[in-house]
Amino acid sequence: MDNRQLIMNAALTLFYESGYDAVGVQQIVDAAGVTKPTLYYYFGSKQGLLEALLKEHFQIMEQKLTEAAETGKNIPEKLYRIARAFFNGASEDPRFYMLMMALFYSGRKSEGFRTVFPMIDRFYRLCVDVFDNASAELGNMNGRQEQFAVGFSGTLLHYLMMTARDKTDLSGLVIRDEEVYRLVHQFMYGIYS
């Protein structure tokens, strides 16, 4: 593993465990077994490191969610596929997903929030597009695509947070198909009513 990847792995673990703001550059380089100049060479700053880390992991997440949104015959199936892709990603990369959410719920002027917000916004926009494209199928939408997208994306994020709340080791985080189906079914019930 090269120094760049060692730094990113150490940072992901430390940011996940202690929070972005609580971790200093010295802690990261000590955990990675490199020097500060090495970190600055690859990333320029702690925020540059966070940006690179989020970008690398988010690209994988976004690709899976986009693929899921482009499949399925109807809106319930599309939402199920998106939810399944989201939760599968969280099972495969739980530290990143939990860090992403923690940063999103941090102070609005913080480096962490400003860095993660464009990614969360892209996830939200993907959901808006799904509802926009389903407007013919959902006759009662009446311009509420953004409201539905907030509800759906928020449901996924909160469900993941609550499922993981008591776990100290997220490596075994699994959200079963039945849970995903019920979650999407309950959400769809609210739309259809």
Side-chain angles (χ1 to χ4, degrees):
M1 189 177 306
D2 67 1
N3 284 341
R4 184 179 188 280
Q5 199 59 51
L6 286 170
I7 294 166
M8 290 179 72
N9 288 348
L12 178 59
T13 297
L14 291 168
F15 294 161
Y16 161 73
E17 290 175 349
S18 301
Y20 174 74
D21 291 330
V23 174
V25 169
Q26 189 64 52
Q27 287 175 275
I28 297 166
V29 298
D30 287 348
V34 299
T35 62
K36 282 184 181 181
T38 304
L39 184 145
Y40 294 129
Y41 170 78
Y42 286 111
F43 305 105
S45 66
K46 180 179 153 188
Q47 185 175 6
L49 169 58
L50 180 63
E51 288 170 2
L53 180 68
L54 291 176
K55 182 178 180 184
E56 181 177 296
H57 287 263
F58 186 77
Q59 284 177 339
I60 297 165
M61 173 186 165
E62 187 174 37
Q63 179 183 355
K64 290 178 181 182
L65 292 173
T66 299
E67 289 170 4
E70 293 172 350
T71 60
K73 297 174 274 201
N74 55 39
I75 190 70
E77 187 176 335
K78 284 182 184 291
L79 295 180
Y80 172 81
R81 288 176 183 268
I82 291 169
R84 183 72 272 167
F86 180 82
F87 292 131
N88 285 349
S91 294
E92 295 163 9
D93 197 1
R95 294 176 306 161
F96 165 69
Y97 277 67
M98 298 307 285
L99 172 62
M100 181 181 65
M101 289 186 291
L103 293 170
F104 181 65
Y105 291 110
S106 64
R108 294 303 180 241
K109 292 183 179 183
S110 71
E111 284 181 1
F113 175 79
R114 289 191 324 263
T115 305
V116 81
F117 180 78
M119 295 165 198
I120 297 288
D121 190 55
R122 289 201 326 248
F123 172 50
Y124 164 71
R125 294 286 162 210
L126 179 139
C127 294
V128 171
D129 289 346
V130 167
F131 288 109
D132 275 342
N133 295 331
S135 59
E137 185 181 339
L138 298 170
N140 68 340
M141 195 171 302
N142 301 324
R144 296 183 295 165
Q145 294 89 325
E146 291 191 7
Q147 182 181 0
F148 290 163
V150 167
F152 183 67
S153 61
T155 297
L156 298 182
L157 293 168
H158 196 72
Y159 194 83
L160 178 59
M161 287 180 66
M162 295 310 292
T163 301
R165 73 182 175 273
D166 295 330
K167 298 183 183 333
T168 55
D169 178 16
L170 295 179
S171 61
L173 179 67
V174 176
I175 298 175
R176 298 182 326 263
D177 285 339
E178 178 183 313
E179 292 175 85
V180 177
Y181 173 80
R182 284 195 322 253
L183 191 67
V184 170
H185 182 76
Q186 181 64 40
F187 181 80
M188 290 305 302
Y189 180 78
I191 288 177
Y192 289 136
S193 61

